[in-house]
Amino acid sequence: MKVLINIFPKKEILDPEAKAIKKSLNNLGFNKINDLEKGKQILISIDENDEKNAFKYAEEMCNKLLVNSTIEDHEIIVLKDR
Amino acid sequence: MKVLINIFPKKEILDPEAKAIKKSLNNLGFNKINDLEKGKQILISIDENDEKNAFKYAEEMCNKLLVNSTIEDHEIIVLKDR
Amino acid sequence: MKSTRINNEFFSLKKCSLKQAIKMGLTPEEFELICKNLKRIPNVTETGIFSAMFSEHCSYKSTKKWLKKLPTQGIQVIQGPGENAGVIDIGGNDAIVFKIESHNHPSFIEPYQGAATGVGGILRDIFTMGARPIALMNVLRFGETINPLTKHLLNGVVAGIGGYGNCIGVPTVGGETYFHKSYNKNILVNAMAIGLAKKNKIFYSKATGIGNPVIYVGAKTGRDGIHGATMASAEFSNNTEEKKPTIQVGDPFTGKLLLESCLELMKTDIILSIQDMGAAGLTSSSVEMASKGNLGIFLNLDKIPVREKNMSSYEIMLSESQERMLMILKKGSENEAEKIFKKWDLDFSIIGKITNNKKILLEKNNKTVCDLPLKMLVDEAPEYNRDYKIKNCNNKIHSKDIYIKKTIKEILFKIMENVNFGSKRWIFEQYDSSVMGDTVVTDSESNSSIVKVHKSDKNNFSGKGIAISTDCNSRYVKNNPKMGAMLAVIEAARNICCSGAKPLAVTNNLNFGNPEKKEIMGQIVATIEGIKKSCEFLNTPVVSGNVSLYNETNGKSILPTPVIGMVGVIQDINKVIKKNAKNKNTILILGQDDQKDDGWLGSSLYQEILYSQCDGKVPEVNLKQEKIIIDFLTQIHANDLIIAAHDISDGGLLPSLMEMLFKNNLGMNINLPKKLMNLNRSNIYKLHGWCFGEDQARILIATNDPAKIITKANKNDIKVFDLGITNKKSMIKLGNYDGFSTKKCYNLYESALPKILLD
Amino acid sequence: MRTGIIVFPGSNCDRDIEVAIKKFSNKNPIRLWHKDTEIPNLDLVVIPGGFSFGDYLRCGAIAAKSPIINAIKNHYSRGSAILGVCNGFQILLETDLLSGSLINNQNLKFLCKNVSLITQSTIESPFTRGLRSGSIINVPIAHNEGNYYANDQLLKKLEDKGQIAFKYLDSENPNGSKNNIAGILSENGKVLGMMPHPERAINTYHSSQDGKFFFKSLFNHLLG
Ligand SMILES: Nc1ncnc2c1ncn2[C@@H]1O[C@H](COP(=O)(O)OP(=O)(O)O)[C@@H](O)[C@H]1O
Ligand SMILES: [Mg+2]
């Protein structure tokens, strides 16, 4: 089973990278952009068939290493079909 | 409307970061991991109500700036409800 | 996926067709000769090995004949060309290991990874020999700044060089960057590395000892960088997607582990020989090791750590995955070595052994997949005697003919804000230049970069230093390859001396277009002749180097770019000379006197900036005069008479002078020679020549004791001119002609790169 | 006085800081490996700069999960001093021995240059006791993620309690750090994390020698 972990900087942190990307896009003429956030995505295939367990396993990995909760938010999506 | 752009290194290209994260998770006792990929995610809110146009706009941004197609693959998801 | 694996290996073992051989880069004649000598048709894997070994990069088939002419001997030389890097003796038990290498094409395709792997590759060449890398330099060439691609490439390349060097923790202390339209579609990325070793602990690649184990360590082998033309071939498989060449990705983290683990293992005596896997990966490393030892090598390809399961023998042999090493150990010491590599979390595998049959024998799935005599791959590799034609531009341009009716100030400002003259701060601040704690100066503060020899300090003595300079003025080389190359070496030597050091030896990177064209081959031949001439004269032998040919796009060649990397030694780092003058110093020109009332503007930066064409005869070269000037500089420095020094090169006298004044924001009333005091509209061009001419064999120095120096100069028959005394007013006055602010110049100078990089 | 330097895979300023410690304490520091689970009784533990674990995931994140971290926490509980420079600072934040975070430099580029640091008036600490508050030292920075971030509440606490050790000169803030913060202390003053590299500014040939004020005062207090 695969789990997808999306990690985004917390809203109140003005992520310099997101800001720079938005500016570059504007400079290239993309003017319809209201807002842009940039995050990381980690796709993990784990030896686990139970959806709930997979979620729990992923949550644990997030807490132990993958996410720094003082600056990042995350969501876990269990991909049942993969 | 919001578009979500997922960007991953191409499969055959070495991703030393993914390798290092996987190893570290293993060292922390997470042994059920078969495979780990790391990508970026860009969430853009654009001034556009038409789904197709939003997709096209995103595709253009990917080609022009966001994606380095020699080493990365990407997918675009239009989030209708946001 | 299983079928693909069989397909792959199946096709690797099929007889190779002429068409496939050509796709791999062999000529029909070369393939025919291979078949004839082998008395059979080689399989695809074997042909791949031939094509790699016969490639320009490995065989030097176009240049070998000429490279032999370079001077490579000297009492300071421990190891000349032929090994992973050159080695020179710097006294005591210390030796310096250094080399330069190009990564041009990959950097154009993927600038970050191309540049990063270029740095990684040259670092491996250095620590393979037992040296700890202590400094990195980089020489870059980009297209015009109005080309939108240039910005992208510059950003990526600089980030990539920093990305690797900063992470592995070797300071990047200097280099060169130049923009010109001929590099629009073919940038140059040359990286140089310098390492410090003990004289009695140098490691070589020559294999020894029949039966000794061959060891693979480092990262796993993937499909990275396998020759594109071959792999795209539909004939190999219908699954073309899988065959696309892959970008090589650098992993400086693994590189650091490989560096530390190799140096740790080198403290024992169990490594008999060692070779990094660079261009053509496992193929060239195994072939070269065995053939240098006049022995044979057997490898079991099933033992190679691989990243992907279904790799064929062809792919394994031609992969250019990074951070890998091949070594031959003393029999029985495998466990001891393995322990060290396991500690550093690196892959370790015993993949074969040294044999006495003078062959390369490869096995996979219990089948022989390659059985070739080494002699055919190395000694019998093609060597071409290509036609050549040397072209020089002999049109002598007088300043009268090209001077522009603008004030000196206007022209100076144009030069200051020109990217080719302006500050490269935007670049070098992205490089960690102070890690390791031994950096004394970068080449932004002195004429060359200097790093201290670690632990060479004792009590009150600060220690000795290694000076490094990279140089190449392609304007000169294009207009006269021999003189241009001579001047590149000369300029490097001048830079080293202006830092207070003594030149010792040279590495070089010959970047040219297609050698099958007579004019290009002529550039190469004449360039080598020029390097030889200067190096012999200065007693700075060439101990390593690299050749990069076919730098062309759509039949248009880059400017000929033979890069010189010179190293020298300074016995006491407290005696390093910097560029910046202080207040109330007298500035003298060594090598020029009151009689000089004009200057050489042909092939100059003045011409380049003010005209679209840049041709004309290059400045006169006088080796004897050059040597007299640098020897004199060295002598008066020994008497502690010099406060700052700067050689006069690109841009001529006035721009060079400004660079000495910037740091302390100094002003000056410039003395003009009598002959230039009262010019009128008809002869004002002379002032342009005087300010911006690029006559050689001149050095600017700042001193507190001009009288002593002038007396000494007169005694030695050396021309000298007193330019005036620096003051704190930050204003430059040029006789009655012009006045301008140092600060303004400095701001223009610093804005040159940021200006083109701003969105 | 005993000092230990922790070496992680990818540490690259371990030798530099070792040279500095020897020079100013006249004692040889010991080296500790990230896989060690115990450390001897030490007066000072140093986490050097570099790119531990390649800076992958987040700078310092993977190092912060190393076996040796528990031992460092024990060392901290005993009230002993810890210094983290550059990547060491990042690691200390990831282990929660210090609070806040370091994110990308504002211009998204690695930056190596000399900066002026203003010593702040702080709580009692071996790292600042010998430095006059308001005095300026000039030392190099070399980092990609040195942009210190803390929310307003934490910033206020750091300011109020005197936990900020060094600030960049306001006109020189090189990376966008909140309140120009270049280095902070733990609540008990025994842990210092700083982005700049004082160990690269200690010799006559260095572009500045101001790092010696930092080390001299530190070892004066630890020794005596
Ligand atoms: N232009 C040159 N001048 C002197 N030596 C050279 C030159 N080009 C290559 N060499 C030497 O030839 C040898 C082979 O170099 P090369 O194939 O580039 O090494 P690598 O396998 O590390 O890429 C090296 O010892 C190198 O120093
Ligand atoms: Mg090599």
Side-chain angles (χ1 to χ4, degrees), chain C residues 83-85 99 101 121 124-125 128 275-278 288:
Chain C
E83 271 289 340
N84 284 303
K99 188 182 174 205
E101 191 145 301
R124 279 194 299 285
D125 273 338
T128 305
Q275 165 77 38
D276 68 303
M277 293 187 226
E288 275 167 27

Side-chain angles (χ1 to χ4, degrees), chain B residues 12-14 16 23 68 71, chain C residues 110 246-247 249 251 307 345:
Chain B
E12 70 273 19
I13 284 185
L14 170 72
K23 196 164 208 176
N68 180 349
I71 51 174
Chain C
E110 175 29 48
T246 336
I247 303 289
V249 172
D251 180 2
R307 213 162 70 222
D345 285 326

Side-chain angles (χ1 to χ4, degrees), chain B residues 10-17 19-20 23 27 68-71, chain C residues 109-110 113 219 224 241 246-247 249-251 253-254 307-308 345:
Chain B
K10 280 192 200 298
K11 261 279 178 196
E12 70 273 19
I13 284 185
L14 170 72
D15 183 356
E17 181 162 23
K19 212 175 80 186
K23 196 164 208 176
N27 288 342
N68 180 349
S69 64
T70 39
I71 51 174
Chain C
I109 298 174
E110 175 29 48
Q113 295 299 344
D224 329 27
E241 212 11 66
T246 336
I247 303 289
V249 172
D251 180 2
F253 172 56
T254 302
R307 213 162 70 222
E308 290 170 83
D345 285 326

Side-chain angles (χ1 to χ4, degrees), chain C residues 192-207:
Chain C
M192 176 175 171
I194 300 91
L196 180 63
K198 290 289 166 215
K199 235 164 35 187
N200 56 0
K201 266 293 203 181
I202 311 276
F203 289 79
Y204 298 98
S205 58
K206 177 180 156 186

